[in-house]
């Protein structure tokens, strides 16, 4: 575990911030720093070269950073919102996680909101964690019905049911720490690394980089190199998603 510390430090020393998209099979991710109350924290979310699961030509990983715990409200978070999910019935959920980076029952977590008014938190520390077949330093997390924390509305009725029709889906970090993730898996559609496509969105954040890449490579067993990551930025309030109704679902 200690060997991951230099990488985490490298990720915290960020150098540019911006929103990014990762599109695959109709789903996409939009990253942004959410800080409507201008809380005095460093807050960043972006797909970063060198941070993903090793293998292939696209080595980008999703980095979510928050420098300090923020009392809600006003709250602050680093977000990756899954686009084009409204009306889709959720049948499975998973993500790859870099060992040694943030992973608690509160952050990072999936914010799942369904059309019947249910709001659920699915924390990183829950689910089944497996390193089998994964490169060194990474684990794959798959979630089950029992991992859904009921935050408001009806209890989760289960994957594949009418009550699992999505209204909103997001990965967010709202506890102090840096989470490094990849291969976001929604209904078997993988966003990131092997099959992902990442594009900058200059209209949402001030990121002037060009991250247009696709990847058809396979993961290998090499440990990931420390990436150059985006600089943390406080005070961004250009969020075009829900208002973080799952916030506060920490232990």
């Amino acid at each position: 575990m200690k060997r991951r510390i230099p990488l985490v430090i490298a990720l915290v020393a960020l150098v540019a911030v911006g929103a990014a998209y990762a599109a695959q099979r109709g789903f996409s991710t939009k990253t942004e720093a959410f800080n409507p109350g201008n809380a005095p924290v460093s807050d960043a979310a972006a797909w970063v070269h060198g941070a993903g699961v090793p293998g292939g030509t696209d080595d980008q990983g999703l980095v979510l950073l928050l420098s300090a715990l923020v009392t809600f409200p006003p709250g602050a978070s680093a977000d990756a919102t899954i686009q084009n999910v409204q009306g889709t019935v959720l049948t499975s959920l998973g993500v790859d996680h870099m060992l040694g980076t943030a992973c608690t029952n509160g952050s990072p977590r999936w914010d799942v909101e369904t059309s019947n008014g249910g709001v659920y938190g699915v924390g990183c520390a829950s689910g089944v964690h497996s390193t089998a077949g994964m490169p060194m330093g990474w684990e794959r997390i798959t979630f089950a019905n029992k991992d859904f924390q009921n935050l408001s509305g009806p209890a989760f009725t289960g994957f594949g049911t009418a009550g699992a029709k999505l209204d909103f889906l997001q990965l967010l970090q709202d506890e102090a720490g840096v989470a490094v993730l990849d291969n976001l898996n929604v209904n078997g559609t993988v966003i990131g690394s092997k099959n992902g496509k990442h594009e900058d969105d200059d209209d949402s954040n001030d990121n002037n980089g060009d991250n247009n890449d696709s990847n058809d490579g396979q993961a290998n067993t090499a440990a990931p190199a420390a990436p150059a990551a985006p600089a943390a930025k406080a005070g961004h309030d250009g969020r075009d998603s829900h208002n973080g109704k799952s916030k506060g679902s920490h232990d």
Side-chain angles (χ1 to χ4, degrees):
M1 191 68 71
K2 290 182 179 179
R3 66 177 180 271
R4 312 309 307 166
I5 294 176
L7 178 57
V8 174
I9 294 174
L11 291 169
V12 174
L14 302 175
V15 294
V17 70
Y21 289 90
Q24 171 66 12
R25 300 179 190 172
F27 293 150
S28 64
T29 63
K30 181 175 182 180
T31 60
E32 63 184 333
F34 178 57
N35 191 359
N38 293 314
V41 298
S42 294
D43 189 3
W47 289 92
V48 176
H49 282 291
V53 174
T57 59
D58 183 1
D59 61 357
Q60 294 186 91
L62 178 63
V63 177
L64 304 177
L65 175 148
L66 193 66
S67 68
L69 199 62
V70 182
T71 303
F72 301 105
S77 62
D79 303 340
T81 303
I82 311 300
Q83 306 286 286
N84 306 318
V85 298
Q86 192 168 22
T88 299
V89 173
L90 187 64
T91 60
S92 64
L93 199 60
V95 68
D96 290 350
H97 168 250
M98 180 183 283
L99 295 168
T101 69
C103 184
T104 72
N105 200 44
S107 286
R109 71 177 177 279
W110 288 98
D111 170 14
V112 181
E113 303 179 20
T114 54
S115 59
N116 64 359
V119 179
Y120 315 97
V122 185
C124 177
S126 63
V128 174
H129 295 237
S130 175
T131 58
M134 296 296 292
M136 182 182 301
W138 286 85
E139 65 178 350
R140 177 154 293 168
I141 310 173
T142 54
F143 300 100
N145 294 332
K146 64 182 178 61
D147 300 317
F148 282 64
Q149 303 174 54
N150 185 218
L151 303 178
S152 67
F156 186 60
T157 56
F159 287 122
T161 65
K165 182 179 291 186
L166 292 170
D167 186 47
F168 180 76
L169 182 63
Q170 182 181 78
L171 259 175
L172 71 154
Q173 175 80 20
D174 60 0
E175 294 178 353
V178 181
V180 183
L181 308 165
D182 201 354
N183 297 326
L184 285 56
N185 194 320
V186 180
N187 290 0
T189 294
V190 177
I191 306 170
S193 192
K194 179 180 177 182
N195 297 316
K197 180 181 179 183
H198 312 305
E199 299 176 352
D200 287 335
D201 175 27
D202 292 332
D203 293 333
S204 294
N205 262 327
D206 299 326
N207 184 4
N208 297 318
D210 186 0
N211 294 335
N212 293 316
D213 286 309
S214 60
N215 181 3
D216 57 4
Q218 299 295 326
N220 57 37
T221 57
K233 178 181 180 181
H236 179 75
D237 61 358
R239 195 182 194 213
D240 66 351
S241 57
H242 287 202
N243 293 320
K245 288 183 282 185
S246 79
K247 286 181 169 55
S249 65
H250 317 284
D251 282 339

